[in-house]
Structure formats: C-alpha cells, structure tokens
Amino acid sequence: MIQLSSRILLVLLAIVFSPLCMIAQIDNYGADQANKRFMPSQGMLGGRTDFNYLALENHPGNSGVPLGGIGVGNVEFAPDGRFARIGMNNIHIPIPRSKASFFSLWYKSGGEAKSYQLVRENKKQYGLEGVNKIFYKGIFPRAELNFGEEMIVVSPRIHAYSGLVPHDIKNSSLPVVFFEIELQAKQDAEVAIAFSWEDFIGRGLKEPKSIEGMDGQIFGGNGREKLVNGENWPVREPEQTFAESVQYGNFCGIRQFASGPLKPIKATFQNYVNEVVVLAEIQEGNEISYLPAYSIQQGEVNWNNFKSTGLFNKYSGEVKKLSYSENACASAISVKTKMAAGEKKTIRFMLAWFYPELKVNKSNAGSCWPNGSDYGRYFHNFFDNIEQLIQYTSDNRALILNETLAWQEPVLNSTLPDWYKFKLINSAYVIYTNMVLNKKGDVMVNEGGMGGLAGTMDQRISSHPFYQKFFTQLDRSEMEIFADAQAGDGSIQHFIGHYYVGMGTVGGRIPTENNWMLDNTGGWIIQLAKDYEQTGDIQYLKKYIGRVKDGMAFLKRKMPEGLNIPIGPTTYDDYKHPPVYSYGISMYLATLKAAEALAKAVNDTTWLHECKTQFELSKNDMIRMLWNGRFFSYGCEIDGSNRLDSILFTGQLAGQFVSRYCGWGDILPIEVIQASIIAQFKTSLYNTPDYYANKVWNINAGRGIDNQGSQCWPFYLESYTAYTAMQTGYVEDALDIMRHIQLVHLRKGWTWCQNLWNPAELNYMTAPVTWFSTDLIAGAGINIPRKELRLAPAIIRKDKTVLPLFYPTFWAELTLDSKKKNASLKILKTFGSKNISFNKIIIEPVGKPTAERKEISIDEFSVQQGNVLDISRWWKELMSAEIREAVLPQADKVPFIVVDNNLYK
C-alpha cells in the first residue's frame, strides 16, 4: 500500500529517454476528412492582450454570438455587423457569411439626408457606405452593437437576443431572434431603420447523390463511415423561392418561402427550413415599407428610394419570385419614424424560421435510421405553423428575455475579471451550434467536424457541465441513450448517433455500435455519480446501477494478467500511445472513486470493498510503472518496458482533476501532483506562445510532436492541466492558461467557433468545459444525499469577493468581505420540488491534500430562495488555502520538483 510522504527532493533528475513510435494511429471514423480543414498553429499565436471584453472595438467578424435556439439552427451576429456562420439549415457546416443580411440607418435633418449600412466596411454596398467603428458586446445568446459618435444626428444601438431559459426547454428551442434598435436623436429628424435578410431557404444543405449502401451500422464495415460523412456530400440544389407581405398580430413584414416542404433524399438532422419571416413591430407613428425581393449581385437600384426617403418603393403585397438556381436574392423591411432632439425610441424586428416535422416515409426520405428516434424538433410539440410560433414568441418575449438574463446576472455581478465573465458565458454557445434536440426530447451533441458523428462520450466528460447545471433533463437524455445502448460486454459506446444518419433512443438502437474507448465507460459512470450527488435523485441512480456494475466489470476484464491497469483505446486517439497510458489509468482511478460513491449510495458494502481494494492496487501500479520522478511518463509496454520518459503529456492528471472536483478526494499524493504540474509548466507550456501547448511533447527534441493539424486540444489543457493546477494551489497560473486559450481564438474572431485541434474555425463541442471553473474558484461542491456543502475559495480580493455558484437544483452567491472577515452564501434561485438542506460544511483548501479536509457541523440550512447561510465564524478555516507563487512567467528559473517513487512503496 502506498504511504503518503512529504519528502520532496528539489534536485534535477536524470531521465532515461526511450525511443518513440511516431506512426499515427489509423483513423476509423472519417476524421481524416475533417482534419483537412484545420489550420496549423505556426505563426498564429501570441499578440494583443488588452481587449475590452464587454465592448470589443472593431473586432474581426469571422464568428459572432449564435442566435436561435437549441436544436433548431442558428445565425451568428458578428462584431462587424454582418451575419456569419449561418446555421439555420445546417449547424454542422454553416454558411460562412452573408452578403445581404444587415441593418441600415437613414436620417434626414435640416433638409439633408444621410444613409449608412451598419456594417464596418470601407466600400459601399448598394450605394450605402459602411461605418468606421463598432463596439460589440457579445454575451451569448445576446449581442449589442453601438457605433460611437460617428452619426451626428441620431445614435443607433442594436440589441439582439434569443431565448435560453434554464430548465425550460420550450422557451430555449424556438427558431426566433429579436432585434431591438435603440435610437437617440441629437437633432430633430426623420429616421428609418432597414433590416435586409438574404434568402437561405434550401441553401447550405448537404445531400448525397445516392443512398445506396447507407443503411445499417456506420461501423459495420464496407466503408460506410466514409459514405455517410456529410462533409463529403455535395450541396443540395437551390430551391425556387417566393416572397410576400404578411402580418401576424402586432408584427408585419416579409415572408420568404418555398412552394412546399423540402423533401430530402436522405433523412438527416439538418433543418429543412421552408419559410422565413422578417418582421417589424407595428407602432403608432411609424411607417413600414417593404422590399420583397432584390438581387444580391445587382440590388443597388432597389435601395435608391430608401437612400432618398427612408422608405422602399410601394409594394402591393402580392407574391414575388425570390431566388432560383444560382440567382440569390434577399428581402428587406424598413421602419420610418420622426424624432425630436433628445428623444429616444426603440424599433423592434423579429427573424423567425419554420419547417414542418419530417415524418419519415419513402415519399419524403428514402433512407433513414429506422430503429432510433424521430427527426422532428421540440417546437413541433407546440406549433403547427409559423403564425402560431410568432404569436407565442411575441406574447412571451419579455419573459423569455428576463429568464435568459437571469443566469447571466450572477456572473456579470460577480467580482471576477471581465475576461473570465466573457469566456464563461460565451463558452455555452455550443448548446445552439452543436446540440441536436428532437420532438421526443432525445438529445445528442455533434462533436464538430468528424463527418457528423455525435453524442461523443469521451468529449462529454469535459463538455457536459453547462448542460448538466442548466438543462439537466437534456443532459440526462443523452446519458440515458448511452446507457440503453450499452454493449453486451458492458462497454459504453463512443457515439450514440450521427447528424446525417440518425440517433438512438431508449428502447431502440444506435447506428454507431461497435466503437468503444475505455474512458467512454468510465466517463459515463463518473457523470452518473456526479449527477446523483448534485441532485439527490436516487431513483435515477437505481435505474442504472446494474449498468454501472456491468461497466466496471468490463473495465476490469481489460486488465492483462498481473496488471491492475485496463488496456485499450481512449479519447486521445490521434497519436499513438503505449498500452499502459497515464491518461487511461488516471481516469480509471477516478472511475473507481465514482463507483465507491455509488456503492455507498446503494449500501453495497461488498462492492464498496472491491472498489477500494482495486483502487489501491491500480494506484500502486500507476506510480510503480509510470512515475519517473518529475512526472508520469507518457506510457510503457504491459511488462513495463520501453517507458517513454522523454514524452511529457498534458492529460496525465485527468483523473486527479475529475475526482477532486467531484468531492471524491485526491487519487495521488499532493507532492506528485505538484511535481507533475511544474514539469508541464517548465516544459511544454513555457516553451509555447500563449501556453497553447502541444499535448504530446518530446523533451529530448524540445518540441511538440502531435500530428500536424491536431496539436493542442485546448479544452483538455484547460481541464486537465489548468484546473488541476488550480486545485494544487497554482491559481494565478491556472487563470493565465484559461485566459490565453481564449486569447488565441479571440484575436482571430473565433470566440464562437472554437476548434479542438488547432486555433481555427469549427464548432467543437467541448468549449463549455469552462463551466467547471465556477466551482473550482469557490472551492465549492455539493453532495445532497449526505447534506454536504463544500466551500474553500481559491480567489480572495483584499476588499470584497462575490462568486457565483450554479447547480441543477439551485443557484447561489458566495460573498466574502476580507476587511470584516464576513462570509455568507445566499440562495438566488431554486428548481424542482425536492426539499434540500445542508448540515455539514466541508472545507478542502486548494494547495493541500484532501486528506486534510475539515468537516464542520452546522444547524440545518434549508436551500430556499432568499435564504442566507452565515459562515463567518469559520473564516480562518475557509481562508486556509495554500496559494503558490506563479510559475509560468518565470518557469525557467523555477526548479523541477523531484519525488522519489521509492517513497511510496
């Protein structure tokens, strides 16, 4: 058994280098096609850091805040005033940019008329000059654009938003966006705002030329995984579309539409949008005019009247032809009003899209996944047509906006830095850009690229916290499909569906069988245990406890004789690793901790003993075989030979982060963890601009050796290096890594389309990893069945500290007054009908081993909105974190920490 020791030898260790096999692992699911789009990192790192995060000035427009809803498609409103990455039809491969979707301002004062396209662009479009400056506040799913002092007669400000209401799926899955243009007149003037929208109906959809060979399991051989890779399919032929004027309640405008439902050759989860409306709110004193159709390439003549009068030419409302073949067109609507100097007005627009439910049969989709879930959308449960959708959304607009603001306000009102607020809130964007939500309520999340593979369990380990905290029902849906699809050998599958094929459902089958990794099974068990402890839902746990045991038995069978380490593939699958692998074994240790927690929950003492015994055996083997004194080797052979001590890997402490985050304690001695963190800091991170480090680093060569096009894996660098570092006391370094990971994407305008493999554009699923950090910064966690509240803040200001906390059943605010030594926890909001209370505070200070935790009994505290728990009397204990001096700014001067592994035998 390993005996803990605090002996740390601050000397250099001579490392015996071993040869490295540099042959890339053969890819078996179409990622080779996706990777061709990734941009190399050389020459793209480093640069500006002085951003005003909540008012980005003249920022690149490659991506913007996605607007729309969960599972219904989205459009991104970019910082340059354009619309980018339009995913109304296809969220997997959105249309990069729109030429004819924009807002325009016209005003006339003192007999002089002036018109602007509210887009930052030097050249004119349709005779409208662009603007020179835009300040952009992008806080998903809201965006705000203002234009400084450029307009001398009237100042416009655009507010755009859609609904994302925690635990309210209906109001979060509506294909509707609101735009409110706030006008402030500096002089008496006539003013008009026009909203132009390009016709995207039927555009950007991917469709195969033939469905031959597409039925059956994706990994069933015969090259089917490449056949169904939608990235390789051609774009569907454009539709003939039309435009007409419409009025729905208090909104009127232009309806773009196809002659009927779009019939796919193959059923997919693309959105077969067949009608779009661009509407303006009817207000007394305003005049609304229409431009039903104009050519994008030759549209200037259609805008002449607007430039002169603020109105479009008179239109009688009849149906007009819009787009056909390659002739792309757009529609526009203008609202004109009169304003007195100093007056403020708000003009409201609405953008909405609709498509009928795709009910699969041979007449409308020749190929489908017949054993799985439906291809509808959640809004099809409530609305049969676009008029019903518009009426409901306009009636509930204020409620939806207020409830969307509610989850952001605790973050924005905190004392955390602006870069962190910006990063945290915006990391949630993939719930729009990647999540597939159907009519039944089944969920899968597109991995990003990968030909369309979705419901990715290995990525889910890091990507799930936002969904689990704010949309627990959706998080569980995907988890339950994984559980139902568990293979006969007990393994949890890698995927549960495919964007261009179909997804599984409870009681059905998934089209992605026969594809597992060790951490798929471990990750599912870990997430199930965490959900139970954070919700207290014992019925949910009992439903799947048998499958947990089957999964643990599967992992144990993967251990070769004489070795207590499972052997097999893991999420790090794009660069060959040896059989005994630091990431795999550390995640297995965390999985054993999760199983221990579940064994306690169901009072299975025999199973609990087995888990504890196996944990000690496996931990001993990890240190014995892989600890080289400074860090855990990349790996070795089953017999211990060919240990790759020359290869440093950023995923080696993954299980440590997961276990401690969940409240299950350290899986390794604190001095070993600290030494490993220092080695990573001094080696790969310090030697990489922006710390955007390769995950596999050859110390002998002094460089990263990952496959070209797949190098950093920043979201895992954030969780498994930065977050573990924070737990170990390197708080400043952890925050610096987080900040620079964001900067790499931010500088290029990729905040809302981050890539896993490299700094490049792609909607990759793991960006919400940042939502672990609210708990880490507060040293917080909960175990509802045990009535335990964990608190041990890692960040304390000299004056007042306010930190937000979010869990599936309640939100809270932790306030720390350093001058008065007061500490309190206020319950901001609760969800569900379950009565929750705490009678224990657990303090696990960062930088110290969890074995030194303190348990404090308190009077029963009921978790109800408005209740405040005063914890000031334990100020000294709460403030006992061991914060270590930052290493990264001076890593070349900080010595390695060397820990003799013989001390643990």
Side-chain angles (χ1 to χ4, degrees):
M1 181 172 292
I2 294 174
Q3 300 296 319
L4 290 179
S5 170
S6 60
R7 280 185 65 192
I8 302 176
L9 308 177
L10 299 177
V11 296
L12 296 181
L13 178 72
I15 296 178
V16 179
F17 294 114
S18 301
L20 173 70
C21 176
M22 298 184 67
I23 300 174
Q25 184 168 318
I26 295 175
D27 166 64
N28 69 338
Y29 40 75
D32 56 334
Q33 296 298 322
N35 277 332
K36 289 179 181 177
R37 304 200 343 250
F38 304 150
M39 301 172 67
S41 59
Q42 285 83 354
M44 300 185 64
L45 305 177
R48 182 183 172 193
T49 60
D50 61 336
F51 290 96
N52 183 344
Y53 290 88
L54 301 183
L56 295 171
E57 181 178 351
N58 289 353
H59 197 66
N62 298 324
S63 74
V65 168
L67 303 167
I70 303 174
V72 297
N74 62 88
V75 298
E76 296 188 10
F77 197 19
D80 62 357
R82 293 284 185 191
F83 287 84
R85 300 184 62 77
I86 296 95
M88 294 169 64
N89 301 318
N90 187 345
I91 63 173
H92 179 69
I93 305 178
I95 296 169
R97 202 155 179 80
S98 174
K99 295 180 180 179
S101 299
F102 56 86
F103 287 92
S104 292
L105 170 71
W106 173 92
Y107 58 75
K108 185 176 183 180
S109 179
E112 181 180 358
K114 186 75 174 176
S115 57
Y116 295 90
Q117 189 179 47
L118 297 179
V119 172
R120 189 168 58 84
E121 201 164 273
N122 292 326
K123 60 183 180 181
K124 290 184 178 182
Q125 184 179 7
Y126 309 132
L128 302 166
E129 62 182 86
V131 298
N132 296 313
K133 188 169 287 188
I134 296 180
F135 297 91
Y136 184 82
K137 182 177 182 179
I139 301 292
F140 171 74
R142 301 184 293 123
E144 179 184 305
L145 286 73
N146 77 75
F147 307 88
E149 300 300 319
E150 187 169 349
M151 290 76 167
I152 60 174
V153 173
V154 62
S155 294
R157 186 181 296 260
I158 303 175
H159 301 269
Y161 57 90
S162 51
L164 192 64
V165 180
H167 306 293
D168 183 345
I169 302 173
K170 178 180 180 180
N171 284 328
S172 302
S173 59
L174 302 171
V176 178
V177 182
F178 283 98
F179 300 92
E180 295 180 354
I181 290 73
E182 181 183 298
L183 301 171
Q184 182 168 7
K186 302 173 185 178
Q187 304 173 17
D188 293 349
E190 295 179 88
V191 183
I193 290 287
F195 181 21
S196 174
W197 189 254
E198 185 173 343
D199 173 23
F200 294 109
I201 292 174
R203 294 175 183 264
L205 291 167
K206 291 280 195 167
E207 199 161 66
K209 293 181 179 179
S210 169
I211 59 174
E212 184 178 352
M214 289 190 178
D215 294 328
Q217 285 293 328
I218 291 173
F219 301 117
N222 300 320
R224 189 173 288 114
E225 68 273 10
K226 292 185 177 180
L227 194 63
V228 300
N229 183 344
E231 295 175 26
N232 293 336
W233 293 353
V235 177
R236 178 188 172 109
E237 286 295 318
E239 295 285 322
Q240 168 69 70
T241 55
F242 307 87
E244 65 179 353
S245 63
V246 291
Q247 180 171 342
Y248 304 124
N250 202 37
F251 281 83
C252 65
I254 296 294
R255 172 180 174 250
Q256 301 173 336
F257 62 98
S259 58
L262 277 58
K263 297 180 180 181
I265 293 174
K266 183 185 189 323
T268 74
F269 284 104
Q270 295 174 98
N271 303 314
Y272 298 98
V273 175
N274 68 334
E275 55 183 326
V276 177
V277 292
V278 183
L279 304 173
E281 187 176 36
I282 300 169
Q283 295 177 309
E284 187 176 352
N286 292 351
E287 185 177 359
I288 298 174
S289 61
Y290 309 106
L291 178 57
Y294 72 93
S295 169
I296 292 176
Q297 297 299 325
Q298 298 139 358
E300 182 165 348
V301 65
N302 301 100
W303 284 82
N304 284 337
N305 205 58
F306 175 81
K307 289 183 293 181
S308 299
T309 67
L311 297 170
F312 293 115
N313 292 330
K314 288 187 177 181
Y315 162 58
S316 59
E318 75 277 11
V319 174
K320 294 273 191 180
K321 281 189 176 182
L322 192 56
S323 302
Y324 59 91
S325 186
E326 296 302 320
N327 180 36
C329 291
S331 307
I333 181 173
S334 170
V335 179
K336 184 178 179 181
T337 190
K338 290 183 178 180
M339 300 183 70
E343 185 180 4
K344 293 182 179 180
K345 279 190 177 183
T346 297
I347 294 174
R348 185 172 293 119
F349 293 93
M350 184 191 300
L351 173 71
W353 55 95
F354 197 87
Y355 39 103
E357 181 182 351
L358 179 61
K359 296 180 179 178
V360 175
N361 56 59
K362 291 295 181 181
S363 68
N364 68 7
S367 176
C368 64
W369 178 244
N371 309 296
S373 202
D374 66 78
Y375 292 85
R377 293 296 185 270
Y378 201 74
F379 70 80
H380 289 134
N381 289 298
F382 312 103
F383 310 112
D384 296 322
N385 54 61
I386 199 167
E387 184 172 3
Q388 293 174 357
L389 172 68
I390 296 299
Q391 187 63 55
Y392 173 84
T393 311
S394 60
D395 288 348
N396 292 277
R397 178 194 58 79
L399 171 67
I400 293 170
L401 174 60
N402 289 337
E403 292 300 305
T404 299
L405 292 170
W407 63 270
Q408 300 181 348
E409 287 171 348
V411 177
L412 296 173
N413 294 337
S414 74
T415 54
L416 294 164
D418 283 351
W419 73 260
Y420 176 85
K421 297 174 183 178
F422 178 85
K423 176 179 173 68
L424 179 71
I425 293 175
N426 283 316
S427 73
Y429 73 90
V430 296
I431 199 169
Y432 276 9
T433 62
N434 292 59
M435 181 174 278
V436 176
L437 168 65
N438 71 357
K439 183 178 181 180
K440 183 181 178 183
D442 286 336
V443 162
M444 69 178 184
V445 180
N446 281 342
E447 182 168 342
M450 304 299 293
L453 286 160
T456 313
M457 178 51 71
D458 55 323
Q459 297 298 324
R460 220 182 174 282
I461 300 167
S462 287
S463 69
H464 77 277
F466 181 78
Y467 314 141
Q468 192 256 351
K469 289 172 184 287
F470 294 100
F471 293 92
T472 314
Q473 181 181 340
L474 300 184
D475 183 74
R476 284 186 176 182
S477 168
E478 194 174 43
M479 284 283 288
E480 289 174 343
I481 298 171
F482 272 108
D484 192 69
Q486 186 177 34
D489 62 2
S491 64
I492 296 294
Q493 298 297 292
H494 193 171
F495 310 101
I496 59 164
H498 193 286
Y499 186 65
Y500 298 101
V501 177
M503 71 167 142
T505 190
V506 173
R509 287 184 69 184
I510 61 171
T512 46
E513 295 170 355
N514 307 313
N515 195 263
W516 60 266
M517 294 173 168
L518 293 174
D519 51 341
N520 299 157
T521 301
W524 179 80
I525 293 169
I526 287 166
Q527 290 170 75
L528 183 74
K530 182 170 78 75
D531 183 291
Y532 163 68
E533 292 188 346
Q534 291 192 355
T535 64
D537 190 344
I538 189 65
Q539 298 306 316
Y540 177 61
L541 172 60
K542 287 181 175 179
K543 185 177 179 180
Y544 296 112
I545 201 70
R547 295 184 183 270
V548 173
K549 291 184 176 182
D550 290 344
M552 294 303 296
F554 162 77
L555 292 173
K556 191 162 187 175
R557 287 195 301 273
K558 292 301 174 182
M559 296 178 183
E561 185 176 354
L563 186 65
N564 288 284
I565 297 174
I567 303 300
T570 71
T571 186
Y572 291 98
D573 58 349
D574 70 340
Y575 192 91
K576 185 175 177 62
H577 59 76
V580 180
Y581 184 38
S582 55
Y583 167 77
I585 179 56
S586 76
M587 284 300 294
Y588 179 59
L589 293 176
T591 303
L592 286 165
K593 285 291 189 180
E596 283 185 33
L598 297 179
K600 291 176 184 176
V602 295
N603 298 313
D604 191 328
T605 56
T606 301
W607 186 26
L608 177 61
H609 176 73
E610 290 173 358
C611 291
K612 286 179 174 291
T613 301
Q614 185 62 63
F615 177 84
E616 293 299 327
L617 293 170
S618 298
K619 179 174 69 171
N620 287 349
D621 273 3
M622 180 178 184
I623 293 180
R624 174 178 63 85
M625 299 190 75
L626 297 181
W627 182 251
N628 66 23
R630 288 182 180 173
F631 58 87
F632 287 99
S633 167
Y634 190 50
C636 65
E637 300 302 317
I638 291 172
D639 61 2
S641 64
N642 196 29
R643 194 171 79 179
L644 300 177
D645 285 341
S646 63
I647 307 301
L648 184 141
F649 175 55
T650 57
Q652 61 186 269
L653 296 177
Q656 166 63 22
F657 158 66
V658 170
S659 181
R660 182 156 180 156
Y661 170 84
C662 292
W664 304 326
D666 297 322
I667 63 169
L668 296 163
I670 191 72
E671 55 265 44
V672 167
I673 302 164
Q674 186 181 1
S676 172
I677 292 293
I678 291 291
Q680 293 182 56
F681 284 177
K682 284 180 64 63
T683 307
S684 56
L685 274 82
Y686 181 70
N687 289 294
T688 307
D690 279 306
Y691 314 133
Y692 204 82
N694 289 68
K695 60 187 182 295
V696 185
W697 187 274
N698 188 313
I699 298 173
N700 197 27
R703 61 179 178 83
I705 53 175
D706 290 284
N707 293 338
Q708 181 71 16
S710 181
Q711 295 167 349
C712 180
W713 289 35
F715 309 124
Y716 286 99
L717 184 67
E718 185 165 321
S719 55
Y720 298 156
T721 297
Y723 292 168
T724 312
M726 186 178 294
Q727 293 170 334
T728 314
Y730 298 102
V731 177
E732 186 177 335
D733 289 316
L735 294 172
D736 215 19
I737 295 169
M738 292 174 65
R739 186 170 68 93
H740 279 271
I741 286 172
Q742 175 177 255
L743 282 167
V744 167
H745 297 96
L746 177 70
R747 294 185 193 113
K748 299 295 180 181
W750 291 324
T751 294
W752 297 276
C753 61
Q754 297 178 58
N755 195 320
L756 171 70
W757 294 278
N758 255 312
E761 63 84 25
L762 186 78
N763 288 339
Y764 199 81
M765 70 181 287
T766 318
V769 65
T770 306
W771 281 92
F772 282 119
S773 66
T774 53
D775 296 318
L776 291 169
I777 288 171
I782 58 173
N783 188 321
I784 288 176
R786 296 172 62 88
K787 297 190 174 185
E788 292 178 352
L789 169 66
R790 295 194 306 279
L791 286 174
I795 294 179
I796 304 294
R797 292 161 56 103
K798 292 181 179 180
D799 48 4
K800 188 176 182 180
T801 305
V802 180
L803 303 175
L805 289 171
F806 301 93
Y807 298 104
T809 52
F810 71 93
W811 303 344
E813 184 178 77
L814 177 65
T815 302
L816 306 158
D817 189 325
S818 297
K819 294 181 179 179
K820 297 180 180 179
K821 296 185 178 180
N822 289 339
S824 63
L825 185 82
K826 181 178 181 180
I827 306 301
L828 301 178
K829 197 160 187 169
T830 60
F831 302 92
S833 58
K834 184 179 177 65
N835 293 323
I836 298 169
S837 62
F838 298 116
N839 60 24
K840 291 185 286 293
I841 295 177
I842 308 297
I843 299 176
E844 294 179 350
V846 301
K848 296 181 178 180
T850 53
E852 296 181 12
R853 70 175 65 173
K854 289 182 171 60
E855 180 176 315
I856 299 169
S857 297
I858 62 172
D859 294 336
E860 199 86 9
F861 174 73
S862 178
V863 177
Q864 295 183 12
Q865 185 170 328
N867 282 3
V868 178
L869 175 63
D870 188 346
I871 48 179
S872 303
R873 60 185 293 190
W874 300 290
W875 180 266
K876 182 179 178 180
E877 291 86 350
L878 288 167
M879 299 299 113
S880 58
E882 189 171 321
I883 306 299
R884 307 183 193 278
E885 187 177 356
V887 172
L888 282 171
Q890 52 178 355
D892 58 331
K893 299 179 178 64
V894 175
F896 286 101
I897 294 175
V898 179
V899 182
D900 187 348
N901 65 343
N902 289 318
L903 298 174
Y904 301 104
K905 291 183 179 177

